[in-house]
Amino acid sequence: MSPFTGSAARTPSWEHLRVDLTDGVATVTLARPEKLNALTFGAYADLRDLLAELSRERSVRALVLAGEGRGFCSGGDVDEIIGATLGMDTAQLLDFNRMTGQVVRAIRECPFPVIAAVRGVAAGAGAVLALAADFRVADPTARFAFLFTRVGLSGGDMGAAYLLPRVVGLGHATRLLMLGDPVRAPEAERIGLISELTEEGLADETAQQLAHRLAQGPALAYAQTKALLTSELDMPLAASVELDASTQALLMTGEDYAEFHAAFTEKRPPKWSGR
C-alpha cells in the first residue's frame, strides 16, 4: 500500500466502527453488541476504507480486530443485508460482493499484522474476517461457523475457499464450507484455525499483548514477511526463492539490519525503526 496521499483529509470518525490508536497499535472494534456485531453495508465500507487509510500511516505497526460484547461477529445482518439484496439487480449484487472481498484483500494486503480477538460467535462473514487475519487469538467461548451454504449460497464467499484450505487443509475446509457446522474452540485449535487459545475472558487482553509486542518489533521485516506469505501461496518454488532473495537483499540495506548488528556488538536490545 502506497504511503502517498491525495488531498482528502484523514477520516476523523467512523460511524460503524470504534477506532483507537495507541503506541502503534490500532484497535478496531465492531460495535453493534445488541446484534452480535452483525455487519451492515456501511460496516463493510468503513472497514474497507479504514484499512486503506491505516495502511498509509507509518505510525500503525499492528491492528487488533475485535467485537464489542459477547460475540466477535455474527456475519451479515439478516434484515439489513440479506433482505436488501433480494431487491437488487445483478450489477448491484456484484458491487456488494466485490466490496466484501475488498475488505478481505485489505486485511491480507495491509503492511502490518492483523490479530483477530475472538470471543463467542464468529459466523459467516465474521468467520472470514477472522480467517483473513494473520493471528486468531480466541478464548474457550469462541465458535466459528461458515454459514454460507445454510442460506443457499456458495461456501466460497469473500475468499473463504482460497484462505481456509491454506489454513486448515482441504479436507477440513471442505467439511466446514459445505456443511456450515459450528467449530468450537478446542477443535478450532486442533485443526489450526486458532493461533492461540487463551483462558476464558482473556482473548482481548492477549491479542493486545501480542499487538504491542509486534508494534515494538522490526515493522518492515514483519510487513515483508506478511507480503511474502500472501504472494507465495500460488508460486512455484523457483519463483518463491527468487522473490525471497530479492526481498532479503533489499532488507539488508535497511536501518534495522544494521541496527541488529550494532546492538549485538554492543550487547544491548535493538532499537527498531521499521526502516
Side-chain angles (χ1 to χ4, degrees):
M1 180 70 68
S2 169
F4 300 104
T5 60
S7 56
R10 175 181 167 187
T11 306
S13 63
W14 300 89
E15 181 180 350
H16 304 282
L17 310 167
R18 191 167 66 252
V19 182
D20 175 75
L21 299 173
T22 304
D23 297 330
V25 174
T27 302
V28 179
T29 305
L30 306 173
R32 295 183 78 205
E34 73 284 358
K35 290 284 192 81
L36 289 175
N37 303 312
L39 298 166
T40 62
F41 295 114
Y44 278 116
D46 272 4
L47 278 170
R48 176 199 62 196
D49 296 346
L50 171 65
L51 286 162
E53 286 195 15
L54 294 180
S55 294
R56 292 190 291 267
E57 295 190 17
R58 295 304 191 197
S59 60
V60 177
R61 298 290 191 93
L63 184 146
V64 174
L65 181 61
E68 183 177 334
R70 58 190 177 89
F72 176 72
C73 175
S74 59
D77 188 289
V78 174
D79 295 321
E80 295 192 37
I81 288 188
I82 296 180
T85 53
L86 292 175
M88 291 182 177
D89 61 28
T90 302
Q92 292 171 315
L93 291 169
L94 186 56
D95 283 341
F96 165 63
N97 283 284
R98 282 175 171 162
M99 176 175 67
T100 66
Q102 287 164 357
V103 174
V104 169
R105 284 190 59 187
I107 294 172
R108 293 304 317 143
E109 295 174 3
C110 64
F112 41 75
V114 176
I115 303 127
V118 183
R119 292 173 288 98
V121 65
V128 184
L129 292 181
L131 174 65
D134 301 290
F135 300 89
R136 283 159 297 284
V137 176
D139 81 358
T141 68
R143 61 188 187 279
F144 300 82
F146 298 86
L147 298 174
F148 307 107
T149 60
R150 296 288 186 95
V151 301
L153 297 177
S154 164
D157 195 32
M158 296 172 63
Y162 177 89
L163 292 170
L164 192 58
R166 289 162 169 81
V167 173
V168 302
L170 180 60
H172 290 306
T174 301
R175 172 172 60 92
L176 299 183
L177 293 183
M178 282 204 180
L179 300 179
D181 291 340
V183 180
R184 298 190 178 275
E187 183 187 2
E189 183 185 33
R190 178 178 63 81
I191 65 177
L193 186 54
I194 288 176
S195 309
E196 181 175 357
L197 183 61
T198 74
E199 294 181 14
E200 187 166 345
L202 294 182
D204 293 88
E205 178 182 337
T206 304
Q208 286 291 332
Q209 291 171 351
L210 175 57
H212 281 84
R213 173 185 171 184
L214 291 164
Q216 293 166 11
L220 185 57
Y222 292 155
Q224 292 306 309
T225 301
K226 177 172 180 172
L228 292 177
L229 284 167
T230 299
S231 299
E232 294 182 16
L233 286 172
D234 299 308
M235 282 187 181
L237 177 60
S240 294
V241 296
E242 179 62 24
L243 182 57
D244 287 351
S246 301
T247 301
Q248 295 295 54
L250 288 172
L251 289 177
M252 285 174 178
T253 68
E255 293 177 15
D256 279 348
Y257 187 62
E259 166 61 13
F260 166 77
H261 184 262
F264 181 83
T265 302
E266 298 166 15
K267 296 181 172 55
R268 60 172 175 80
K271 299 176 181 177
W272 305 113
S273 67
R275 297 180 180 275

